[in-house]
Amino acid sequence: MAGSSSVNKKILILGLSNILWGFIPWPASNLFKNYSSLLIIFTRFMFMSFFLLLTVGVLLIFDRIKEKDKIKHIDLKKLFLYLKSRNSEFFKFPQWAYLLTVGIFGLNSMTILFFLALKTIGVITTSIGVLISLVIVTAINWGRGKEEMTKFKVLYLTTLIGATFILGYISQIYSESESSVSLGSIVLVIIYGIALSFFVITGSTDKMSLKEFKIIKENPRYQLIRTFFKLAMLSFFSALIYIPSLFLMSKFDFNEQINSEIGLFFTQLTDWWKIALSVDGIILIIVCTIIPYFIYYLMAANWPKHTSFNLWVGVMQLIEPLINIIIGITLLNEIFPISWLLIVIFLFGIAIFTRYLSETETQIFAIFLLKIKPQFQLAAMQKAFAIKPVKEVSHMIGDYDVFLDTQLHSSQALNKFIQQDILTLPGLIRYDFLIITNNILEKDQ
Amino acid sequence: MTIKIASFIKTEFGKSEFFSEELQKIPDITKILSISGEYEFLIEIIVEKTEDLMDIIEYIEKIPGIKEVHSHYVLSEWEKKF
């Protein structure tokens, strides 16, 4: 394979982002000693949106310098048009309403539940939520026909479920706190897993409009700027609803812990900047949140086309709960017997290996050549670009009009892709496909 | 202005390693894929001038064992990043 050392380096850098995400419980637990967990989340969202909007601003300036043609410039007007456009994959909501929904029910609820679980039941038990989410997301994608259930996938899920039970059972047995051995803690972790799954699934349910498709043709930088803008808006909307919703919640009587958290939030609200400027705050916001997001998206933008990014994201995401557990034991003094820890690490090793095998055993890279009626070519290319297995669309002159670079998981998926996606493209006259057997050379451009 | 070309190459059987090495020697070829089907290789060429393109195609056609080079001019492309 071409440039394997460069790919290996990128895989390692991608892994680094998961390691940094895995460190979140450490600064968060230190901050819990002095501040309301709700205020910590609020500050994290505020700073995330601020830094991400700053990044968008820098990228817009960079684009102005690089792009000589004024018409092709990406400006704020184009980004606001994106917010107003409709997301046809998410109930045709305007993008701002889609981001608000995902922000409140996905990012926000997932983060609140994660921090609440960290504070009340500890890091090790909370890490189960990530495992639950991995199982839920795989099951839902399988149900939607987006993932194949191969023998390695079944083994992967079985290993994850096994690790979940061991972690849950052993961490509860050895827990120092009496209150943590309760049905409530299990329910909390399960709800956290569901909220995380909702965020993972809905976060990527986002189809570009025809206008955006035309903008990318003129200026490919739009994709990176749009991604950072989307993330900034998600954080901004999440922070925005905090004060009004907590104010509303403070009028009702919940359990003692929630009431005291809300009370503490309003008492400490004027001190939010102290969180951001503390060492733990900087580690939490910059090192464990902003830097990993930057690494992740920069790697996604520069990943070699014929080496699956999703494969390595899937494999690397198992590092995060593993780091959580190690942090819990080493830095936060949680008790977990070494013999059981070795078993859990062994199970994680199997899960990583089987995930890798399940993704690679049936991977197919294929090229599709399409002959399309002239008046339908733009519509066909836009539709093709929105299909998940399609990585690249090219408009050509020659025997064929459109070239599609695709990545599929199995021969069944290839057949389904042809029947459901290729044959339904508007104006299709004929098609041909070729399987890529080896990627000999792929230079960075 | 850059010109991008996607070329399908038909070669003699049993010499794929020799052809891939020969193709890798050409600096303007940015991508080489070994493929199944009617052709053996798909290559991507990026040049600044049409004359450069003609030189490259001529060079490829002269490699012993190359049977056919079928080229398509790329007008525009969209690469999905996220």
Side-chain angles (χ1 to χ4, degrees):
Chain A
M1 287 295 265
S4 60
S5 65
S6 149
V7 175
N8 288 344
K9 206 188 283 174
K10 283 176 177 157
I11 292 167
L12 288 175
I13 297 171
L14 183 68
L16 178 69
S17 66
N18 288 89
I19 292 173
L20 292 177
W21 271 318
F23 268 86
I24 287 178
W26 178 45
S29 298
N30 290 338
L31 288 168
F32 288 154
K33 290 169 192 161
N34 301 312
Y35 299 100
S36 145
S37 53
L38 293 172
L39 189 64
I40 299 166
I41 300 166
F42 173 75
T43 312
R44 185 166 169 248
F45 283 146
M46 286 277 283
F47 270 81
M48 250 182 91
S49 57
F50 171 74
F51 276 110
L52 290 166
L53 282 174
L54 198 68
T55 310
V56 170
V58 171
L59 289 172
L60 290 179
I61 294 167
F62 176 77
D63 179 63
R64 279 193 177 242
I65 297 165
K66 280 275 182 185
E67 185 57 66
K68 304 288 175 221
D69 188 348
K70 273 187 178 179
I71 302 165
K72 293 179 183 175
H73 280 166
I74 298 162
D75 50 23
L76 286 174
K77 196 181 155 197
K78 281 182 181 154
L79 293 176
F80 281 114
L81 280 175
Y82 150 66
L83 283 181
K84 278 170 70 182
S85 69
R86 290 192 177 267
N87 183 347
S88 59
E89 279 197 337
F90 196 82
F91 310 113
K92 294 191 175 166
F93 273 27
Q95 288 285 5
W96 65 264
Y98 156 73
L99 293 173
L100 192 66
T101 311
V102 176
I104 296 169
F105 299 106
L107 186 62
N108 221 336
S109 54
M110 177 264 281
T111 315
I112 291 173
L113 290 162
F114 173 67
F115 275 60
L116 206 62
L118 270 185
K119 197 170 184 174
T120 53
I121 53 179
V123 185
I124 297 173
T125 319
T126 305
S127 69
I128 293 169
V130 180
L131 302 182
I132 291 172
S133 162
L134 290 174
V135 175
I136 292 174
V137 171
T138 309
I140 289 176
N141 282 341
W142 175 55
R144 292 159 86 201
K146 296 199 169 187
E147 271 190 49
E148 298 292 321
M149 198 53 77
T150 62
K151 57 182 183 296
F152 287 120
K153 191 64 73 69
V154 173
L155 196 58
Y156 161 74
L157 289 176
T158 313
T159 316
L160 281 188
I161 293 167
T164 305
F165 275 109
I166 291 176
L167 279 172
Y169 185 66
I170 301 297
S171 64
Q172 294 299 318
I173 285 179
Y174 288 88
S175 173
E176 287 176 318
S177 160
E178 275 299 309
S179 63
S180 64
V181 191
S182 69
L183 186 68
S185 62
I186 296 164
V187 172
L188 181 62
V189 170
I190 291 172
I191 298 172
Y192 160 57
I194 293 169
L196 181 57
S197 310
F198 177 84
F199 178 61
V200 170
I201 290 169
T202 56
S204 57
T205 312
D206 178 12
K207 191 178 170 185
M208 284 191 185
S209 65
L210 185 60
K211 262 184 192 165
E212 291 185 289
F213 185 66
K214 287 176 183 168
I215 295 171
I216 296 169
K217 181 188 170 186
E218 291 172 349
N219 191 336
R221 279 182 216 105
Y222 179 78
Q223 281 186 87
L224 184 65
I225 296 174
R226 180 196 196 265
T227 303
F228 277 114
F229 186 66
K230 177 182 167 182
L231 207 55
M233 285 295 110
L234 263 177
S235 318
F236 177 70
F237 286 142
S238 299
L240 195 72
I241 56 126
Y242 246 82
I243 295 176
S245 59
L246 288 180
F247 180 75
L248 209 67
M249 281 172 77
S250 68
K251 301 291 168 203
F252 297 94
D253 192 31
F254 294 95
N255 71 31
E256 198 184 324
Q257 194 172 9
I258 295 175
N259 290 342
S260 78
E261 274 288 340
I262 295 170
L264 206 58
F265 174 85
F266 285 108
T267 319
Q268 295 179 333
L269 189 57
T270 49
D271 289 341
W272 67 273
W273 56 273
K274 284 184 188 166
I275 295 177
L277 294 179
S278 67
V279 176
D280 287 316
I282 290 167
I283 294 172
L284 177 69
I285 296 164
I286 310 281
V287 182
C288 298
T289 305
I290 309 236
I291 291 176
Y293 271 118
F294 271 60
I295 292 174
Y296 180 88
Y297 286 114
L298 288 175
M299 286 301 108
N302 295 297
W303 204 258
K305 242 172 284 171
H306 298 99
T307 310
S308 172
F309 180 68
N310 289 339
L311 183 162
W312 288 105
V313 169
V315 171
M316 294 294 176
Q317 66 190 1
L318 283 162
I319 292 176
E320 208 181 312
L322 193 59
I323 295 287
N324 281 176
I325 297 161
I326 294 167
I327 294 280
I329 296 167
T330 54
L331 296 173
L332 302 171
N333 303 321
E334 286 189 22
I335 299 163
F336 198 85
I338 190 82
S339 54
W340 283 106
L341 177 68
L342 290 173
I343 290 171
V344 168
I345 291 174
F346 177 69
L347 288 177
F348 268 84
I350 292 177
I352 289 173
F353 188 58
T354 48
R355 172 84 195 206
Y356 175 81
L357 289 176
S358 75
E359 293 277 351
T360 49
E361 70 168 339
T362 52
Q363 193 125 275
I364 297 171
F365 290 103
I367 287 161
F368 279 81
L369 298 163
L370 316 173
K371 185 80 187 160
I372 310 270
K373 287 178 192 165
Q375 62 272 37
F376 290 103
Q377 284 175 5
L378 190 66
M381 286 190 288
Q382 191 223 352
K383 194 179 171 199
F385 191 69
I387 304 167
K388 205 180 171 194
V390 176
K391 301 290 163 200
E392 189 182 316
V393 178
S394 299
H395 191 192
M396 305 192 303
I397 289 181
D399 292 347
Y400 293 92
D401 306 303
V402 178
F403 173 107
L404 304 179
D405 207 336
T406 64
Q407 186 194 331
L408 297 125
H409 289 290
S410 64
S411 52
Q412 288 96 323
L414 177 67
N415 184 39
K416 204 172 167 188
F417 174 69
I418 293 171
Q419 299 299 326
Q420 292 183 357
D421 298 316
I422 296 294
L423 294 179
T424 56
L425 286 174
L428 181 75
I429 298 169
R430 67 169 198 273
Y431 78 94
D432 202 354
F433 77 90
L434 306 148
I435 305 289
I436 298 171
T437 51
N438 190 12
N439 174 16
I440 299 162
L441 175 78
E442 197 172 333
K443 286 181 189 168
D444 291 332
Q445 287 163 40
Chain B
M1 201 189 117
T2 55
I3 300 165
K4 189 179 265 192
I5 297 289
S7 295
F8 291 92
I9 301 174
K10 198 181 272 187
T11 65
E12 278 179 9
F13 294 126
K15 286 183 175 176
S16 60
E17 206 143 302
F18 164 73
F19 292 117
S20 80
E21 280 170 13
E22 285 298 311
L23 292 169
Q24 283 183 73
K25 287 177 188 167
I26 306 167
D28 294 317
I29 294 181
T30 51
K31 191 195 285 178
I32 304 170
L33 300 174
S34 176
I35 52 175
S36 70
E38 200 184 337
Y39 298 94
E40 278 73 43
F41 293 100
L42 167 63
I43 61 166
E44 184 185 81
I45 307 166
I46 297 179
V47 286
E48 294 294 325
K49 301 192 294 275
T50 321
E51 295 82 52
D52 297 340
L53 181 68
M54 285 169 69
D55 290 344
I56 293 165
I57 301 285
E58 266 178 33
Y59 180 87
I60 295 169
E61 283 173 339
K62 280 179 186 165
I63 297 172
I66 297 280
K67 284 183 177 173
E68 191 183 323
V69 181
H70 198 84
S71 299
H72 294 73
Y73 191 99
V74 178
L75 293 172
S76 50
E77 65 175 352
W78 293 262
E79 192 186 337
K80 203 184 278 176
K81 293 290 188 185
F82 308 104

